[in-house]
Each structure stands twice: as structure tokens, then as C-alpha cells.
Amino acid sequence: MRVPRRTLAALLVLAAAPAAVSCTAAHGDDARPGDEPPAALAPYERLLPAPVSARAQGPGYAFGPGTVIRTGLTQDEEVRRVGELLAEQLRGPSGLPLPVVGGADGDGIRLRLDEGAEGAGEEGYRLESGPGGVTLTARTPAGLFHAGQTLRQLLPVSGPGTVPGGTVTDAPRFAYRGAMVDVARHFFTVEQVKRYVDQLAQYKVNTLHLHLTDDQGWRIAIDSWPKLARTGGAGQVGGGPGGYWTKEQYRELVAYAGERYVDVVPEIDMPGHVNAAQSAYAELNCDGKAREPYTGIKVGFSSLCVGEERTYEFIDQVLGELAELTPGKYLHIGGDEANSTPAADYAAFMDRAQAVVAKHGKTVVAWHQLATARPAKGAVLQYWGHDRTPAAEKAAVAAAAKAGNPVILSPADRLYLDMKYEKATKPGLAWTGYVPVKRAYSWDPGSYLNGVPESAVLGVEAPLWTETIAARGDWELMAYPRVLGLAELGWSPAGALGWDGYRRRLAAQGPRLDAQDIAYYRAPDVPWS
Ligand code: NGO
């Protein structure tokens, strides 16, 4: 679902045309804390993620009490729903009634599904604003949704206002733009995760990876193994009460995310990271003895019993129920840090686990250690190495990519949202070193790993591990603003990337984050107003 390079190039040329106020594709690279604050960016320049092309032109549209949202002639139910959701998102800040009506003609915000819309792909769109209204055009409802999020950024943070005249033509660079939440180390409610989905979807992030199980907790109800959640979900890091989601709650979250064009990828981590399951069921241990619940933050000490047939009945039933609950195409089976599973056992186990995923009609995602075993055809590898990862490990990922396994990039020293920004950051870990906002953003996914060309990169993902994160404030402090950098790396064309332009676009988002009551870290090298 990538826009063909030539189309992108052509659009970029357009964006740079003399009459255009192009989205500022600045390439300057140095943080200059203490510099004069740069002049404020015009609305079309401050869009984040930076679009393929944006230009201001002519008078704009007065978005006011008379504005209606028109969802087109086709009576398409989904377009209607996108219109309703956009109205809801715009009503809050603007205080306007914004009725949603059918039809395509007349003033207002017009949503237009056009299967022939050129260059738009699965998620792209075009936005045109002039005195008569704003027209959003896309090939798919997802594209219309993304267009609506761009429109939100062209409006004032609060109150009615003018959508400046101009045009945006846009489509993502990568198909997979993800964020992960670890609800196993610390438990979080579905409501808290929904809040994150809302925040992320406005920046065109389209995947939510849920790390549902680990040594410290099992967070999803499984009917055939009820003690996994009831017993295995009772605790968390530090010993506080944990919790779990019922199937109903999980379904509700998946549906909520789906309405915002965010796919859910659930993860059951194995064969390591399984102490919670092994504390609930003695039979999952080779010695037949239940483990004590674990509330610390060490890794690599637990392993499923690879030689025992019951282990495979377990994973078949668990993954079967999860597949049934999950409309998306991926199931994540972990595979990281299996330090207590001998290499040959690990490979044998992963062979069978991958076959189970296929049997239930899904595609495997696993942490990149799967590359050291035998990745199945089409299995997706999630790379979480860093600058000091041994070359041999990187080479295994490159070899798998060469053999056709797509790669999701989550470099730990760039995209791990649990890494401290600096020494003074209170929550967080620092095993990769500190990850300031600039470092999180300043790299290119298309040329990051030797031997993994852009064509092998499915996309990028920012994981939020929660060993040290127990409350919303810390979650948001660690995620924001770094997760906006992830959004831009995943969406914007390579030519639009660059720290100097980005830090200004990011600063312009400050009032929006404030208005949404997001507790972000005010990085010193970003010119916040
Ligand atoms: C590692 C480890 C996780 C930790 C995380 C902390 C992966 C894939 N496995 O990443 O269990 O929570 O680091 O940063």
C-alpha cells in the first residue's frame, strides 16, 4: 500500500512549485536551544505528520455556525460514520452544532469517496479548501478519516475559525504505523487505552499492538484456560492489584480502534515471558509445579515446556480464541528473550507456534529473534535492536528480509518510549542510553538497517513498556512528544523529514496537546510557545 515512488516525486515537485507555500521540508539538523524562537508557521506548514504536498492559495472557508458536514451521494454507511466521528471531534473544540447530512452539493465540509482518486492508495486523500467549503476526497473511508484529521489541524485549537484556502495531497510512506502498550507489567483499563487510540489516530498512526501477557501478568480472558486471567492477572510489577480484560472489553476496544482506522495486533509472548501463565497452571511447567507470582522486572527466566504436547494444546486454544476475537490479520507471538529455552528448543517451538497462527488464519508477527530460528513465509519481524546490537544479529534480520520477511522497525534506542529522555526523567529505563526527542526522530527507516531496503520495511512502531509506568501521567510524559516523531517517520515522505522543520511543527502542536490535557515532556530543544 505504498504510493509509487514516481507519484511521490511528482507530488513533491508540485509542492515545491513557486506559487506554493510548501510544507517546510527543512534539512537543518542542529538543535539550538536558546536561539530566538522561530517565526510562527502558517497552518499548511505546521501539519504533522508533514504531508506529501500542501499549499496555501486564495481565500479560505469560514467554519462557523452554519457549517454542515456532507457525506456524499453514495449513501455509504461507512462514509456516514466517518462524517459523524469527524463532527464529534470538531464539535468539542469549536462549540458548533455541525449537523451531518447526505448529499455532496452545497457549502460545508464535503466527504467524497472517489475510487479513481489518483495516487491516494489505501489511505491517502486530497483536501481542498476555498470560500465554498472544504472537500475531502479519498479512495477509501480510511483516507477520508485521515483527511478529517488534517482538517482538524487546519482549524484553531478552540472556537470557530477559518480553514485557510489551499490544497493538501497526501498518502503514507509506510503501511504500518504502530504504537504498542504493555498492559502486562502494569495493568491499564480499556478506557485508558481508548484515550491513547484517540490521541494517536489524529496523527495517522494506524496500528495498536497490545502486549497482553508477560511474567508479571496475563491480561486477557481465555475461556478454555480461565485461571490465566483470574489467577495470572491478579498481580503486577511492584505487587499492586493487577487486572484483566474480559472478552467483551477487548472486543469493545478493537471496535473502537477500528472506527478510527487503527488495527489491533494482540501479542501473547512465548516461549519466554510466561511466568504469569505458569503461576496459574502447574501443567505448563516441565516439573509440574506452579510458579510463584512475579512482581519484579527481571527478564529471561521463564520458558514454556517445549517437549510437552500439552504446551501445544495450550497455545492452540489461546491463539484460537484470540484469533476469533481479532479482526486484524496479525497475531504477535513474542519470541524475545527466550534465555531459558535452549536454541534448538526455541526453533522447534517457534516452528509449531507459527503453524498454529497459520491454522487460525492469521499472519505471524514476532520480535526479531525469530530470524535466528526459522521464520515462516511472510512472518513479520519486529526489530528492536539498537546501535550496539551485534552485527550477526542484524545480519540474520537482513537475511530474513532478503528471503521475503517484512520488517517492522522499533529500534530500542530510538523508538522505545520507556527510555528516559535524560538523567532527570523520573519514570523509565535507560538500558539503551537516554533517548531525547531529537534522537527518537532523527533517523531514516528506509535506510536504517544494512541489508533491509525500504521495500522490506512494513513500517515503524513505538513500544511503551511499563515496568516503571503505572499511571496516565507517566505514560503520557514518556510517549509525548516522542510518539509524534514516530507518526511522522511512518507517514511523511523521506524528503519532508528533518529535525529543524520537525521541531517547529512539533512546537506548533503544543497548544493542541495542552487542549487535550496530554501531559507531555517539554523538550528543551523544541521551540514551544
Ligand atoms: C525488551 C524486553 C521487554 C522489556 C523492554 C524494556 C523486548 C522486545 N523485550 O524489549 O521485556 O520490557 O525491553 O525496555
Side-chain angles (χ1 to χ4, degrees):
M1 277 163 286
R2 204 155 294 141
V3 178
R5 262 168 202 292
R6 239 172 298 125
T7 319
L8 277 182
L11 290 167
L12 282 168
V13 168
L14 253 186
V21 179
S22 76
C23 53
T24 46
H27 294 272
D29 206 26
D30 274 325
R32 292 185 296 267
D35 269 11
E36 282 292 294
L41 294 174
Y44 282 96
E45 297 172 327
R46 63 176 178 239
L47 294 171
L48 193 162
V52 171
S53 111
R55 57 170 163 172
Q57 202 174 38
Y61 170 65
F63 179 80
T67 297
V68 296
I69 296 190
R70 301 182 191 278
T71 56
L73 291 172
T74 54
Q75 304 291 323
D76 185 300
E77 256 313 297
E78 203 177 335
V79 173
R80 170 96 197 171
R81 206 176 38 61
V82 171
E84 294 283 0
L85 186 55
L86 179 61
E88 201 182 301
Q89 290 175 328
L90 293 172
R91 277 180 202 129
S94 69
L96 298 173
L98 301 175
V100 180
V101 301
D105 298 327
D107 282 12
I109 311 294
R110 299 174 288 252
L111 273 59
R112 241 177 226 161
L113 208 52
D114 172 6
E115 267 145 37
E118 213 179 311
E122 293 298 315
E123 293 187 287
Y125 65 88
R126 192 176 168 85
L127 177 154
E128 290 151 295
S129 169
V134 181
T135 304
L136 312 179
T137 311
R139 275 188 51 211
T140 63
L144 290 176
F145 177 81
H146 295 316
Q149 303 314 300
T150 297
L151 172 62
R152 286 173 76 187
Q153 289 189 25
L154 291 172
L155 281 163
V157 172
S158 64
T162 298
V163 183
T167 305
V168 178
T169 310
D170 207 5
R173 180 180 181 192
F174 295 106
Y176 185 109
R177 306 175 303 277
M180 186 207 87
V181 193
D182 166 12
V183 294
R185 270 51 179 273
H186 279 99
F187 176 68
F188 289 91
T189 62
V190 159
E191 286 311 311
Q192 282 165 311
V193 181
K194 279 187 184 169
R195 177 176 157 87
Y196 200 39
V197 168
D198 270 329
Q199 295 167 353
L200 295 171
Q202 71 183 314
Y203 293 108
K204 305 184 175 73
V205 170
N206 69 354
T207 309
L208 174 70
H209 166 189
L210 295 168
H211 186 75
L212 292 169
T213 67
D214 213 302
D215 290 315
Q216 298 87 345
W218 185 286
R219 307 298 180 204
I220 179 78
I222 299 292
D223 296 336
S224 49
W225 296 73
K227 287 194 291 176
L228 288 171
R230 263 195 261 129
T231 307
Q236 62 178 354
V237 167
Y244 67 89
W245 299 338
T246 62
K247 286 190 162 178
E248 219 22 68
Q249 288 170 323
Y250 176 86
R251 276 203 196 91
E252 186 190 313
L253 173 58
V254 168
Y256 188 87
E259 283 168 13
R260 286 146 186 84
Y261 297 92
V262 172
D263 277 340
V264 169
V265 178
E267 177 186 356
I268 303 292
D269 202 351
M270 50 195 171
H273 291 277
V274 290
N275 189 79
Q278 293 181 317
S279 73
Y281 287 99
E283 64 200 279
L284 294 177
N285 297 286
C286 282
D287 63 8
K289 292 190 190 127
R291 297 290 177 263
E292 286 299 314
Y294 183 66
T295 60
I297 65 168
K298 291 205 183 97
V299 295
F301 60 86
S302 58
S303 175
L304 287 172
C305 191
V306 172
E308 183 54 63
E309 240 0 76
R310 185 76 177 130
T311 298
Y312 303 99
E313 288 168 27
F314 167 75
I315 65 173
D316 183 36
Q317 288 168 345
V318 168
L319 294 177
E321 290 191 33
L322 204 57
E324 199 264 318
L325 283 175
T326 307
K329 68 190 242 201
Y330 297 118
L331 286 190
H332 200 308
I333 54 172
D336 58 322
E337 296 174 324
N339 307 343
S340 304
T341 318
D345 282 4
Y346 174 78
F349 175 86
M350 293 307 274
D351 283 350
R352 293 194 62 177
Q354 293 182 89
V356 169
V357 171
K359 173 188 158 194
H360 294 292
K362 301 290 182 184
T363 300
V364 167
V365 187
W367 298 105
H368 75 258
Q369 279 69 23
L370 176 61
T372 65
R374 291 176 287 267
K377 189 165 181 281
V380 178
L381 300 171
Q382 184 168 11
Y383 179 76
W384 62 284
H386 46 86
D387 282 358
R388 284 169 290 110
T389 293
E393 203 172 312
K394 293 183 179 168
V397 177
K402 198 161 174 223
N405 294 101
V407 177
I408 296 168
L409 292 170
S410 299
D413 55 354
R414 306 276 180 175
L415 289 186
Y416 267 29
L417 300 175
D418 58 317
M419 291 300 130
K420 290 176 187 288
Y421 294 94
E422 51 169 345
K423 196 168 172 212
T425 311
K426 284 214 181 73
L429 304 173
W431 63 264
T432 72
Y434 302 127
V435 181
V437 175
K438 182 181 176 189
R439 180 172 175 81
Y441 173 80
S442 306
W443 60 285
D444 176 23
S447 57
Y448 178 72
L449 265 187
N450 260 339
V452 180
E454 178 159 344
S455 58
V457 176
L458 185 62
V460 286
E461 181 184 296
L464 181 74
W465 300 98
T466 60
E467 285 97 329
T468 64
I469 295 161
R472 167 156 87 84
D474 283 349
W475 169 338
E476 290 178 359
L477 177 80
M478 300 307 278
Y480 292 90
R482 287 182 294 200
V483 78
L484 271 62
L486 166 282
E488 176 148 311
L489 289 174
W491 181 282
S492 304
L497 304 180
W499 171 247
D500 215 41
Y502 175 70
R503 68 190 188 109
R504 298 172 70 204
R505 286 195 290 285
L506 179 56
Q509 293 303 311
R512 267 167 220 284
L513 300 178
D514 289 331
Q516 293 173 31
D517 191 28
I518 296 176
Y520 60 98
Y521 165 70
R522 289 180 74 89
D525 47 358
V526 174
W528 309 106
S529 56

